[in-house]
Amino acid sequence: MELWEIEQCLGKAVKGEVISRESMKNHTSWRVGGPADIMVLPSSAEDIRICRQFATEQGLPLTVMGNGSNMLVKDKGIRGIVLKISRGFNQVEVKGTVITAEAGAFVPTLSVRAARAGLTGMEFAVGIPASVGGAVSMNAGAHGKSMADVVSGIAALTGDGNTVFLGKEDVGFSYRKSGIPDKGLVILTADFDLKPGEPEEIMAANKINLEKRRRSQPLEFPTAGSVFANPPGQWAGWLIENAGCKGMRIGDALVSDKHANFIVNLGMAKAEDILELITRIKNLVMQKYHVELELEVRVVGE
Ligand SMILES: Cc1cc2nc3c(=O)[nH]c(=O)nc-3n(C[C@H](O)[C@H](O)[C@H](O)COP(=O)(O)OP(=O)(O)OC[C@H]3O[C@@H](n4cnc5c(N)ncnc54)[C@H](O)[C@@H]3O)c2cc1C
């Protein structure tokens, strides 16, 4: 099938948007990456199911993404279909102490909703620019807490088009990981089990967490947050800084002076530049500390 045919077929089948040859620079926080052959922005769980089924039937690769804040898309882009679950599928419902959010809901918005509803527990996530699906899949965390501390269960779509409900223990959370990719699931909704608290105190905690980030992270540039996961008992940022990598630059990709585990895009960085910088950082940390750094960001595309 030609791209225009896929665009037409999917365009008729789903309620959300379908675009062809869409630059991934517009959809990743690093602002790098070549085009996605086809991008679908679903507006319902049914759109997600239809898109997944279509990809399977047509033998097309399917890449699921949320807000693109943890992705490095290579310069030649992504073949097949990119299913971007974000703004079109972002309803949030508060019932007692439980918040149910669709996978595309923006995590900082969810934190603010929780604060306004007088629910505590989501303050750690107020500065994580993720979708709920991406944050749960990555077990995103900060300030000593992570999604595993607040998620009580999820609804997800299986490879054969069924919806399953998983309790927290079946999501398979570990440090910055979950069992979602291995199970081949697409997260549809997540339940957050929070505790009652004082809205003013919760909002004050949110403010403090945001302020800490502003002080320690290069938020003025496009980045993907921490590039490497912290090795057990160590800080990747400390290892990178002390291996002498701060300020290293390839093209427009620069190891941040403010936080060594962030690579900033000064404007025109290519994925190739970032990947080269990643290799150099890994080599220098290995030479000096004999530690193998593991990527936290997900590299996709060709
Ligand atoms: C300025 C900045 C600060 C950051 N700070 C933090 C931080 O403090 N802590 C932290 O942990 N991370 C942080 N990050 C990284 C990033 O926000 C998290 O990893 C986040 O969880 C990624 O969510 P996303 O929606 O952007 O996912 P994406 O980057 O779009 O995707 C990430 C992964 O999730 C999968 N995924 C996305 N949606 C779904 C779904 N619905 N179902 C199944 N799989 C899905 C994708 O396939 C991919 O493998 C930061 C990033 C930036 C740019």
Side-chain angles (χ1 to χ4, degrees), residues 145-184:
K145 291 212 160 176
S146 72
M147 288 292 146
D149 294 310
V150 283
V151 169
S152 57
I154 63 163
L157 185 76
T158 63
D160 48 20
N162 293 313
T163 301
V164 288
F165 299 90
L166 301 185
K168 173 196 180 146
E169 57 291 348
D170 296 320
V171 178
F173 285 121
S174 59
Y175 171 66
R176 298 295 173 268
K177 281 188 187 139
S178 74
I180 299 298
D182 288 346
K183 292 182 207 290

Tab-separated table of all heavy atoms in Angstrom, residues 145-184:
chain	number	residue	atom	x	y	z
A	145	LYS	N	10.218	9.476	44.407
A	145	LYS	CA	8.975	8.724	44.172
A	145	LYS	C	8.832	8.413	42.692
A	145	LYS	O	9.471	9.058	41.851
A	145	LYS	CB	7.774	9.552	44.620
A	145	LYS	CG	7.704	9.731	46.108
A	145	LYS	CD	6.271	9.825	46.541
A	145	LYS	CE	6.179	9.504	48.011
A	145	LYS	NZ	4.852	9.654	48.512
A	146	SER	N	7.959	7.449	42.398
A	146	SER	CA	7.728	7.139	40.988
A	146	SER	C	6.287	6.701	40.794
A	146	SER	O	5.530	6.557	41.764
A	146	SER	CB	8.684	6.042	40.521
A	146	SER	OG	8.294	4.815	41.093
A	147	MET	N	5.924	6.483	39.542
A	147	MET	CA	4.546	6.086	39.209
A	147	MET	C	4.115	4.853	40.001
A	147	MET	O	2.948	4.710	40.365
A	147	MET	CB	4.426	5.813	37.700
A	147	MET	CG	4.483	7.063	36.871
A	147	MET	SD	3.009	8.081	37.141
A	147	MET	CE	3.712	9.707	36.983
A	148	ALA	N	5.072	3.968	40.260
A	148	ALA	CA	4.754	2.738	40.994
A	148	ALA	C	4.159	3.025	42.376
A	148	ALA	O	3.421	2.208	42.921
A	148	ALA	CB	6.024	1.887	41.155
A	149	ASP	N	4.451	4.218	42.926
A	149	ASP	CA	3.930	4.569	44.257
A	149	ASP	C	2.473	5.018	44.225
A	149	ASP	O	1.825	5.060	45.268
A	149	ASP	CB	4.766	5.705	44.879
A	149	ASP	CG	6.189	5.249	45.161
A	149	ASP	OD1	6.333	4.191	45.789
A	149	ASP	OD2	7.124	5.939	44.724
A	150	VAL	N	1.984	5.408	43.058
A	150	VAL	CA	0.628	5.973	43.011
A	150	VAL	C	-0.348	5.241	42.089
A	150	VAL	O	-1.563	5.363	42.244
A	150	VAL	CB	0.671	7.480	42.606
A	150	VAL	CG1	1.100	8.341	43.772
A	150	VAL	CG2	1.556	7.726	41.402
A	151	VAL	N	0.193	4.491	41.123
A	151	VAL	CA	-0.711	3.803	40.184
A	151	VAL	C	-1.277	2.559	40.869
A	151	VAL	O	-0.536	1.738	41.412
A	151	VAL	CB	0.058	3.396	38.893
A	151	VAL	CG1	-0.777	2.450	38.035
A	151	VAL	CG2	0.440	4.634	38.100
A	152	SER	N	-2.609	2.417	40.833
A	152	SER	CA	-3.192	1.210	41.435
A	152	SER	C	-3.586	0.197	40.362
A	152	SER	O	-3.751	-0.985	40.652
A	152	SER	CB	-4.398	1.567	42.297
A	152	SER	OG	-5.348	2.258	41.533
A	153	GLY	N	-3.736	0.642	39.129
A	153	GLY	CA	-4.062	-0.295	38.054
A	153	GLY	C	-4.167	0.418	36.723
A	153	GLY	O	-4.188	1.652	36.665
A	154	ILE	N	-4.198	-0.359	35.661
A	154	ILE	CA	-4.315	0.236	34.316
A	154	ILE	C	-5.288	-0.589	33.460
A	154	ILE	O	-5.526	-1.766	33.740
A	154	ILE	CB	-2.958	0.287	33.565
A	154	ILE	CG1	-2.409	-1.137	33.315
A	154	ILE	CG2	-1.926	1.128	34.300
A	154	ILE	CD1	-1.325	-1.189	32.254
A	155	ALA	N	-5.807	0.060	32.423
A	155	ALA	CA	-6.511	-0.674	31.361
A	155	ALA	C	-5.603	-0.583	30.142
A	155	ALA	O	-5.033	0.480	29.861
A	155	ALA	CB	-7.854	-0.029	31.076
A	156	ALA	N	-5.434	-1.699	29.447
A	156	ALA	CA	-4.523	-1.689	28.301
A	156	ALA	C	-5.053	-2.579	27.187
A	156	ALA	O	-5.846	-3.499	27.422
A	156	ALA	CB	-3.142	-2.176	28.738
A	157	LEU	N	-4.582	-2.259	25.987
A	157	LEU	CA	-4.999	-3.011	24.796
A	157	LEU	C	-3.946	-4.072	24.488
A	157	LEU	O	-2.755	-3.757	24.409
A	157	LEU	CB	-5.094	-2.023	23.625
A	157	LEU	CG	-5.631	-2.555	22.310
A	157	LEU	CD1	-7.141	-2.722	22.393
A	157	LEU	CD2	-5.281	-1.587	21.191
A	158	THR	N	-4.396	-5.312	24.292
A	158	THR	CA	-3.450	-6.392	23.977
A	158	THR	C	-3.221	-6.430	22.460
A	158	THR	O	-3.960	-5.802	21.700
A	158	THR	CB	-4.005	-7.760	24.418
A	158	THR	OG1	-5.196	-8.008	23.655
A	158	THR	CG2	-4.345	-7.792	25.896
A	159	GLY	N	-2.237	-7.234	22.069
A	159	GLY	CA	-1.907	-7.373	20.649
A	159	GLY	C	-3.082	-7.897	19.835
A	159	GLY	O	-3.206	-7.591	18.651
A	160	ASP	N	-3.974	-8.702	20.458
A	160	ASP	CA	-5.105	-9.227	19.676
A	160	ASP	C	-6.377	-8.391	19.831
A	160	ASP	O	-7.483	-8.846	19.535
A	160	ASP	CB	-5.352	-10.722	19.958
A	160	ASP	CG	-5.372	-11.025	21.438
A	160	ASP	OD1	-5.571	-10.069	22.217
A	160	ASP	OD2	-5.185	-12.207	21.816
A	161	GLY	N	-6.208	-7.179	20.318
A	161	GLY	CA	-7.336	-6.233	20.290
A	161	GLY	C	-8.256	-6.280	21.495
A	161	GLY	O	-9.311	-5.655	21.484
A	162	ASN	N	-7.890	-7.035	22.536
A	162	ASN	CA	-8.726	-7.061	23.742
A	162	ASN	C	-8.252	-6.031	24.751
A	162	ASN	O	-7.081	-5.643	24.757
A	162	ASN	CB	-8.673	-8.452	24.387
A	162	ASN	CG	-9.331	-9.483	23.499
A	162	ASN	OD1	-10.430	-9.257	22.993
A	162	ASN	ND2	-8.644	-10.588	23.269
A	163	THR	N	-9.179	-5.629	25.628
A	163	THR	CA	-8.798	-4.726	26.711
A	163	THR	C	-8.627	-5.548	27.980
A	163	THR	O	-9.490	-6.349	28.322
A	163	THR	CB	-9.896	-3.667	26.927
A	163	THR	OG1	-10.064	-2.959	25.702
A	163	THR	CG2	-9.512	-2.677	28.017
A	164	VAL	N	-7.477	-5.358	28.621
A	164	VAL	CA	-7.239	-6.079	29.884
A	164	VAL	C	-7.049	-5.047	31.004
A	164	VAL	O	-6.651	-3.912	30.752
A	164	VAL	CB	-5.971	-6.983	29.832
A	164	VAL	CG1	-6.203	-8.201	28.971
A	164	VAL	CG2	-4.749	-6.210	29.362
A	165	PHE	N	-7.365	-5.469	32.227
A	165	PHE	CA	-7.170	-4.617	33.403
A	165	PHE	C	-6.088	-5.243	34.258
A	165	PHE	O	-6.193	-6.426	34.604
A	165	PHE	CB	-8.488	-4.476	34.182
A	165	PHE	CG	-9.563	-3.839	33.355
A	165	PHE	CD1	-10.417	-4.613	32.569
A	165	PHE	CD2	-9.691	-2.453	33.312
A	165	PHE	CE1	-11.388	-4.022	31.764
A	165	PHE	CE2	-10.654	-1.857	32.515
A	165	PHE	CZ	-11.507	-2.644	31.747
A	166	LEU	N	-5.061	-4.490	34.534
A	166	LEU	CA	-3.960	-5.021	35.337
A	166	LEU	C	-3.868	-4.263	36.645
A	166	LEU	O	-3.901	-3.026	36.653
A	166	LEU	CB	-2.609	-4.859	34.625
A	166	LEU	CG	-2.398	-5.512	33.263
A	166	LEU	CD1	-0.946	-5.321	32.829
A	166	LEU	CD2	-2.718	-6.992	33.318
A	167	GLY	N	-3.746	-5.006	37.738
A	167	GLY	CA	-3.460	-4.376	39.021
A	167	GLY	C	-2.004	-3.953	39.025
A	167	GLY	O	-1.205	-4.426	38.193
A	168	LYS	N	-1.651	-3.061	39.951
A	168	LYS	CA	-0.291	-2.532	40.035
A	168	LYS	C	0.779	-3.639	40.014
A	168	LYS	O	1.777	-3.537	39.300
A	168	LYS	CB	-0.206	-1.745	41.332
A	168	LYS	CG	1.121	-1.247	41.712
A	168	LYS	CD	1.052	-0.856	43.159
A	168	LYS	CE	2.359	-0.347	43.645
A	168	LYS	NZ	2.175	0.698	44.626
A	169	GLU	N	0.521	-4.734	40.751
A	169	GLU	CA	1.541	-5.791	40.846
A	169	GLU	C	1.785	-6.480	39.508
A	169	GLU	O	2.849	-7.043	39.258
A	169	GLU	CB	1.192	-6.815	41.945
A	169	GLU	CG	-0.146	-7.522	41.851
A	169	GLU	CD	-1.370	-6.610	42.104
A	169	GLU	OE1	-1.228	-5.456	42.580
A	169	GLU	OE2	-2.466	-7.077	41.790
A	170	ASP	N	0.800	-6.408	38.580
A	170	ASP	CA	0.975	-7.054	37.279
A	170	ASP	C	1.568	-6.122	36.223
A	170	ASP	O	1.840	-6.550	35.104
A	170	ASP	CB	-0.379	-7.587	36.779
A	170	ASP	CG	-0.901	-8.678	37.698
A	170	ASP	OD1	-0.075	-9.497	38.145
A	170	ASP	OD2	-2.109	-8.676	38.001
A	171	VAL	N	1.733	-4.829	36.586
A	171	VAL	CA	2.319	-3.892	35.612
A	171	VAL	C	3.838	-4.128	35.520
A	171	VAL	O	4.474	-3.813	34.521
A	171	VAL	CB	2.000	-2.414	36.001
A	171	VAL	CG1	2.639	-1.435	35.033
A	171	VAL	CG2	0.489	-2.188	36.034
A	172	GLY	N	4.410	-4.742	36.555
A	172	GLY	CA	5.831	-5.093	36.514
A	172	GLY	C	6.740	-3.887	36.641
A	172	GLY	O	7.709	-3.737	35.881
A	173	PHE	N	6.462	-3.010	37.607
A	173	PHE	CA	7.287	-1.812	37.779
A	173	PHE	C	8.671	-2.148	38.349
A	173	PHE	O	8.789	-2.968	39.259
A	173	PHE	CB	6.623	-0.845	38.770
A	173	PHE	CG	5.446	-0.094	38.209
A	173	PHE	CD1	4.191	-0.205	38.805
A	173	PHE	CD2	5.590	0.747	37.109
A	173	PHE	CE1	3.093	0.506	38.309
A	173	PHE	CE2	4.501	1.463	36.604
A	173	PHE	CZ	3.256	1.339	37.206
A	174	SER	N	9.697	-1.498	37.786
A	174	SER	CA	11.029	-1.499	38.414
A	174	SER	C	11.631	-0.127	38.105
A	174	SER	O	10.950	0.719	37.524
A	174	SER	CB	11.892	-2.641	37.878
A	174	SER	OG	12.028	-2.516	36.486
A	175	TYR	N	12.887	0.103	38.460
A	175	TYR	CA	13.477	1.432	38.293
A	175	TYR	C	13.402	1.894	36.823
A	175	TYR	O	14.029	1.293	35.952
A	175	TYR	CB	14.931	1.434	38.801
A	175	TYR	CG	15.664	2.717	38.466
A	175	TYR	CD1	15.279	3.927	39.022
A	175	TYR	CD2	16.726	2.712	37.576
A	175	TYR	CE1	15.936	5.104	38.690
A	175	TYR	CE2	17.401	3.873	37.247
A	175	TYR	CZ	16.990	5.072	37.804
A	175	TYR	OH	17.630	6.234	37.458
A	176	ARG	N	12.613	2.936	36.583
A	176	ARG	CA	12.410	3.547	35.257
A	176	ARG	C	11.977	2.544	34.182
A	176	ARG	O	12.269	2.712	33.001
A	176	ARG	CB	13.668	4.285	34.784
A	176	ARG	CG	14.078	5.432	35.666
A	176	ARG	CD	13.055	6.570	35.687
A	176	ARG	NE	13.433	7.548	36.674
A	176	ARG	CZ	13.003	7.527	37.956
A	176	ARG	NH1	12.142	6.605	38.367
A	176	ARG	NH2	13.407	8.418	38.820
A	177	LYS	N	11.294	1.484	34.633
A	177	LYS	CA	10.819	0.487	33.681
A	177	LYS	C	9.502	-0.098	34.150
A	177	LYS	O	9.173	-0.026	35.339
A	177	LYS	CB	11.821	-0.681	33.590
A	177	LYS	CG	13.020	-0.402	32.746
A	177	LYS	CD	13.846	-1.650	32.556
A	177	LYS	CE	15.128	-1.277	31.833
A	177	LYS	NZ	16.284	-1.954	32.342
A	178	SER	N	8.784	-0.717	33.197
A	178	SER	CA	7.622	-1.528	33.564
A	178	SER	C	7.612	-2.712	32.604
A	178	SER	O	8.407	-2.766	31.666
A	178	SER	CB	6.331	-0.721	33.392
A	178	SER	OG	6.029	-0.603	32.011
A	179	GLY	N	6.697	-3.627	32.850
A	179	GLY	CA	6.610	-4.795	31.965
A	179	GLY	C	5.765	-4.527	30.729
A	179	GLY	O	5.544	-5.434	29.916
A	180	ILE	N	5.285	-3.264	30.562
A	180	ILE	CA	4.364	-2.956	29.460
A	180	ILE	C	4.949	-3.267	28.074
A	180	ILE	O	4.287	-3.934	27.269
A	180	ILE	CB	3.901	-1.468	29.546
A	180	ILE	CG1	3.157	-1.223	30.857
A	180	ILE	CG2	3.072	-1.053	28.342
A	180	ILE	CD1	1.887	-2.017	31.058
A	181	PRO	N	6.183	-2.811	27.754
A	181	PRO	CA	6.698	-3.100	26.405
A	181	PRO	C	6.812	-4.610	26.151
A	181	PRO	O	6.419	-5.078	25.084
A	181	PRO	CB	8.089	-2.449	26.384
A	181	PRO	CG	8.120	-1.495	27.531
A	181	PRO	CD	7.134	-1.986	28.536
A	182	ASP	N	7.314	-5.366	27.123
A	182	ASP	CA	7.484	-6.815	26.914
A	182	ASP	C	6.150	-7.523	26.745
A	182	ASP	O	6.056	-8.537	26.049
A	182	ASP	CB	8.231	-7.447	28.106
A	182	ASP	CG	9.698	-7.051	28.088
A	182	ASP	OD1	10.153	-6.542	27.039
A	182	ASP	OD2	10.376	-7.216	29.122
A	183	LYS	N	5.115	-6.995	27.401
A	183	LYS	CA	3.791	-7.625	27.273
A	183	LYS	C	3.093	-7.184	25.988
A	183	LYS	O	2.003	-7.647	25.683
A	183	LYS	CB	2.906	-7.229	28.468
A	183	LYS	CG	3.341	-7.809	29.820
A	183	LYS	CD	2.333	-7.379	30.894
A	183	LYS	CE	2.892	-7.290	32.291
A	183	LYS	NZ	3.234	-8.519	32.947
A	184	GLY	N	3.701	-6.247	25.262
A	184	GLY	CA	3.107	-5.765	24.003
A	184	GLY	C	1.797	-5.028	24.226
A	184	GLY	O	0.891	-5.081	23.387
